Amino acid sequence: MIKIQDLNINLKEFKLRNICLSVEKNEFFILMGPTGAGKTVLLEAIAGLIPLASGRILIGEREITRLPPEKRGISIVYQDFALFPHLTVLENITYGLRFHRIEKIQAEKRLDRLLEVLNLFNLKERLPVNLSGGEKQRVALARALMVEPKVLLLDEPLSALDPNFREEVRGALKSLHQSSNTTFLMVTHDFVEVLSLAGRAAVMNKGHIEQTGQVKEIFEKPASPFVADFVGMKNLFKASFNETYAMVSGLKIEIGRIVDPSSHYVAVRPEDIVISREKFSSSMRNNYSGIITQINNQGFYYEIAVQIKDVSFKGLITKGSLIELGLEEGIPVYVSFKASAVHVF
Amino acid sequence: MRIMKREPFFWISISCGLVIMAFILLPLIEMMTAPSLSMLKETIQDKDVVRSIWLSIYTAGLAALISFVLGTPLAYLLARTSFRGKRLVESIIDLPIAIPHPVVGIAILSVAGKNHWIGQILSELGIRIMGSVTGIITVLTLVGIPFYLNATKAGFEGISPRLEKVSRSLGASMSSTFFRITFPLAWRSMLIGLIMCSARAISEFGAVVIVAYHPMIAPVMIYERFEAYGLKYSQPVAVWLVSISLLLFLLLRILTSGNRKET
């Protein structure tokens, strides 16, 4: 549906380099990346709001690289809602209709459906200034979808909302996506949103795409140390490789397979690490003893740092396990993980 | 309830404020109340006075209108784009505020005279600057337009470019976006710009007196009466000029406020 070929952008603050991306029709695709990675710039380039230095953008079979934004059939929803402050909710939502040839009956049907799905019936006559954040974002969504765009671009649509509104708008996004033919392309750095909404995703860093793929694949098999760090692979170490094991600062880690000789790093997700007081007897190939150096409360979980020789591993456990195991800083524990949990780049 | 003890700084600030208020208001009030009612009545029955006040008001109004037509696109450009030399353009716009007003008049005459090609073209077209209404409007526009440009530019800058981007993505062309989104949100600043521009134009004396002593605008007439007959005879004209222009500005603000759901 969306095809981006060798796109380059040179702005004063941002540069995008050789962006290639393709998104299928009616897909929910998510762009992730740290602040300053160029995600918003990429969205605005797709919408035609930023000039390209080179490259092509296609929607379906049609090249839109040189089309002005109003001819692209691409709607955009911003983090700060960007509602027209001088128009009521209803006027905001129907703003785009006058520029499209849509039959009246059809338009009314669509309006009713959007008002219903987004629960906006009672707010029709209000001005944006009198709406809550969640309400504003629902209006922005309705306005963007009212013109039935081929593509809907969402620039961190939930990050300015309070947590309870966030869940509500996220739900609305999901049902709107499922009930429409529109392709959704969303920028976020919230993993909950990625895991609950997206089919496929891409990770951006410093103006280029690091990895594209199924969400599961990105989280489980990061293609670069940057992606690994970004998706929360806390235990990322530089390593040298020998047959089926890796050496990390003198620590031998069993990988159970021959790896690509150009690899330089190993990583283990903290949730794949088992911490125990007794030596763990199982099929896990990697077992070490170490000392707890730090316990961090992370809300629902505790992050435990264990020093093994010169390497510090981080594992996650629940509060229940923390109490049951009687873990404290300074006590000796065993750390185990499977060979298959070791990722290599 | 106990009132908090104020620091000396607070009282110094209040005193300074009072001095400034008195400084502005006392002379004005003194002047406004000096002429008797009968003198005011007599003055406004003088055809020359009415003619010069009317001339002052409509030339200032036209200067504002010209600033609006020519200045709005430039103000928008300056608010929305950044380019090499933008600072320079902005300082050029502010020049008429900074240079002495008679100099503005002299500068205008030096391009409008017979020795300059612009002056030659103008005279071939039958347009006269020296001693004409056209000349007055030209000068007033030059001294007034910076005020319009600056107020309007600030108004445009206060509107998020994202509103325009969203409008474009919803199918509106650049011009539809301007008239449906940007203009409705910026017109208040534009109005303030127009008021500042025409207020500045009505008060202009130095530049006009060089370019056109006749036809006589109100400030020139006030000056002439002061020179020829003294303070007492210039005051009533001044009172009428000030009252009428204040009334007009007030009317303009009332007419254009409160008719749309603004918060």
Side-chain angles (χ1 to χ4, degrees):
Chain A
M1 182 64 185
I2 312 175
K3 259 205 196 79
I4 298 170
Q5 299 170 342
D6 294 317
L7 177 138
N8 283 280
I9 289 177
N10 292 313
L11 294 179
K12 249 185 270 160
E13 320 87 78
F14 279 111
K15 287 194 197 323
L16 296 191
R17 286 172 288 132
N18 302 324
I19 302 281
C20 294
L21 194 66
S22 81
V23 179
E24 297 304 315
K25 192 173 160 54
N26 199 23
E27 194 174 7
F28 202 128
F29 192 93
I30 282 189
L31 265 178
M32 295 181 273
T35 312
K39 298 163 292 178
T40 303
V41 174
L42 180 55
L43 283 199
E44 291 197 333
I46 296 171
L49 300 165
I50 285 180
L52 308 187
S54 66
R56 300 200 322 148
I57 303 172
L58 291 96
I59 299 288
E61 292 303 305
R62 184 161 167 243
E63 178 166 356
I64 58 158
T65 318
R66 295 190 192 293
L67 283 184
E70 62 268 26
K71 301 245 189 291
R72 295 190 175 201
I74 297 177
S75 290
I76 188 160
V77 170
Y78 284 107
Q79 179 181 1
D80 60 2
F81 324 120
L83 295 181
F84 305 133
H86 59 306
L87 303 178
T88 63
V89 165
L90 191 64
E91 287 167 335
N92 261 285
I93 296 174
T94 54
Y95 178 83
L97 281 183
R98 73 194 88 217
F99 308 111
H100 293 79
R101 252 182 244 133
I102 299 171
E103 266 182 63
K104 212 170 167 223
I105 307 164
Q106 213 190 334
E108 271 166 17
K109 248 171 139 179
R110 197 183 301 161
L111 177 65
D112 282 342
R113 196 179 69 83
L114 284 170
L115 290 175
E116 194 192 310
V117 174
L118 292 161
N119 196 15
L120 290 169
F121 262 115
N122 300 324
L123 307 174
K124 278 196 289 193
E125 299 308 323
R126 296 239 198 123
L127 281 177
V129 70
N130 299 321
L131 300 177
S132 72
E135 289 166 346
K136 281 182 186 163
Q137 200 55 295
R138 273 154 34 206
V139 175
L141 275 172
R143 178 178 66 180
L145 289 168
M146 194 61 207
V147 296
E148 224 159 53
K150 292 188 211 79
V151 176
L152 177 63
L153 304 174
L154 301 141
D155 187 10
E156 300 191 26
L158 309 178
S159 58
L161 305 179
D162 292 337
N164 47 332
F165 288 135
R166 199 175 293 180
E167 212 161 299
E168 168 195 311
V169 178
R170 198 175 69 214
L173 266 180
K174 192 161 194 165
S175 67
L176 284 169
H177 173 249
Q178 283 162 353
S179 63
S180 76
N181 294 319
T182 302
T183 304
F184 283 46
L185 175 54
M186 173 162 137
V187 162
T188 183
H189 43 232
D190 184 320
F191 294 140
V192 178
E193 290 164 24
V194 179
L195 292 166
S196 62
L197 293 171
R200 290 192 317 139
V203 181
M204 277 184 85
N205 179 34
K206 290 183 187 155
H208 70 275
I209 291 181
E210 291 264 348
Q211 185 177 1
T212 309
Q214 296 291 332
V215 170
K216 196 167 175 298
E217 196 180 298
I218 289 178
F219 276 83
E220 288 177 0
K221 295 192 181 112
S224 69
F226 172 80
V227 176
D229 187 47
F230 183 75
V231 300
M233 287 255 191
K234 296 269 178 168
N235 303 305
L236 177 68
F237 309 111
K238 206 161 171 62
S240 56
F241 298 92
N242 238 323
E243 293 172 5
T244 64
Y245 61 87
M247 292 302 294
V248 176
S249 311
L251 201 68
K252 188 176 167 187
I253 294 174
E254 191 59 53
I255 310 168
R257 58 196 187 273
I258 305 275
V259 299
D260 181 352
S262 66
S263 308
H264 299 290
Y265 293 90
V266 293
V268 186
R269 299 190 74 84
E271 55 268 38
D272 286 337
I273 285 183
V274 178
I275 295 171
S276 55
R277 293 295 293 269
E278 311 290 316
K279 196 168 165 76
F280 204 63
S281 55
S282 77
S283 61
M284 292 193 191
R285 304 268 291 274
N286 294 296
N287 293 287
Y288 311 96
S289 66
I291 306 279
I292 294 182
T293 52
Q294 218 174 20
I295 299 178
N296 283 322
N297 187 345
Q298 302 215 322
F300 298 114
Y301 294 97
Y302 283 80
E303 188 186 83
I304 314 282
V306 183
Q307 191 73 30
I308 302 160
K309 290 188 184 169
D310 292 331
V311 186
S312 175
F313 276 91
K314 291 196 173 80
L316 287 178
I317 63 167
T318 60
K319 192 174 185 181
S321 317
L322 183 84
I323 294 167
E324 196 184 304
L325 293 170
L327 299 185
E328 279 169 44
E329 285 177 15
I331 65 165
V333 285
Y334 288 92
V335 166
S336 326
F337 49 87
K338 289 185 191 166
S340 62
V342 181
H343 303 273
V344 177
F345 336 93
Chain B
M1 221 168 71
R2 260 184 43 214
I3 291 170
M4 226 182 353
K5 199 174 175 302
R6 306 275 194 188
E7 281 185 58
F9 181 78
F10 174 78
W11 296 113
I12 293 171
S13 311
I14 293 281
S15 322
C16 289
L18 288 175
V19 169
I20 292 172
M21 288 294 112
F23 183 49
I24 294 173
L25 287 175
L26 274 182
L28 271 179
I29 291 169
E30 188 55 36
M31 184 204 71
M32 295 296 281
T33 52
S36 65
L37 279 178
S38 62
M39 266 193 89
L40 283 175
K41 200 177 162 204
E42 199 183 311
T43 309
I44 203 66
Q45 281 163 348
D46 181 342
K47 284 220 173 75
D48 287 340
V49 172
V50 175
R51 199 181 302 132
S52 68
I53 289 178
W54 169 236
L55 181 66
S56 261
I57 286 168
Y58 93 77
T59 49
L62 279 174
L65 188 70
I66 294 170
S67 303
F68 172 72
V69 174
L70 289 181
T72 309
L74 176 60
Y76 185 70
L77 197 72
L78 288 173
R80 278 291 179 262
T81 56
S82 64
F83 52 87
R84 200 188 277 262
K86 182 174 165 182
R87 280 278 165 80
L88 184 69
V89 172
E90 285 170 339
S91 354
I92 291 172
I93 288 166
D94 286 337
L95 267 184
I97 300 175
I99 52 180
H101 298 168
V103 177
V104 174
I106 291 167
I108 287 280
L109 283 187
S110 43
V111 290
K114 292 254 181 302
N115 301 325
H116 195 276
W117 61 270
I118 293 179
Q120 284 158 8
I121 293 173
L122 286 175
S123 89
E124 268 170 44
L125 291 170
I127 298 169
R128 200 160 53 98
I129 296 292
M130 185 81 186
S132 73
V133 175
T134 319
I136 295 173
I137 295 171
T138 310
V139 171
L140 295 190
T141 306
L142 187 65
V143 297
I145 205 166
F147 291 88
Y148 177 74
L149 283 172
N150 289 334
T152 305
K153 189 181 103 191
F156 286 142
E157 279 168 347
I159 300 167
S160 164
R162 285 191 170 176
L163 297 183
E164 292 169 357
K165 289 180 175 177
V166 166
S167 165
R168 294 291 299 278
S169 76
L170 290 170
S173 63
M174 233 169 167
S175 56
S176 300
T177 297
F178 183 82
F179 288 112
R180 289 185 182 278
I181 303 299
T182 319
F183 183 77
L185 292 173
W187 72 267
R188 259 163 206 288
S189 316
M190 295 163 93
L191 183 72
I192 289 167
L194 287 176
I195 289 176
M196 303 242 297
C197 171
S198 41
R200 176 69 192 80
I202 281 185
S203 62
E204 182 54 42
F205 168 76
V208 178
V209 85
I210 301 269
V211 172
Y213 197 89
H214 288 283
M216 206 178 267
I217 58 163
V220 176
M221 170 176 268
I222 292 165
Y223 174 71
E224 193 200 47
R225 295 206 164 182
F226 173 70
E227 282 281 274
Y229 314 105
L231 194 59
K232 212 163 169 236
Y233 287 90
S234 62
Q235 274 170 341
V237 187
V239 170
W240 278 112
L241 178 66
V242 171
S243 317
I244 291 173
S245 25
L246 282 183
L247 201 73
L248 278 177
F249 292 139
L250 195 69
L251 205 69
L252 198 59
R253 291 218 90 159
I254 291 171
L255 278 180
T256 50
S257 72
N259 56 351
R260 181 79 173 153
K261 46 217 171 172
E262 223 85 26
T263 33

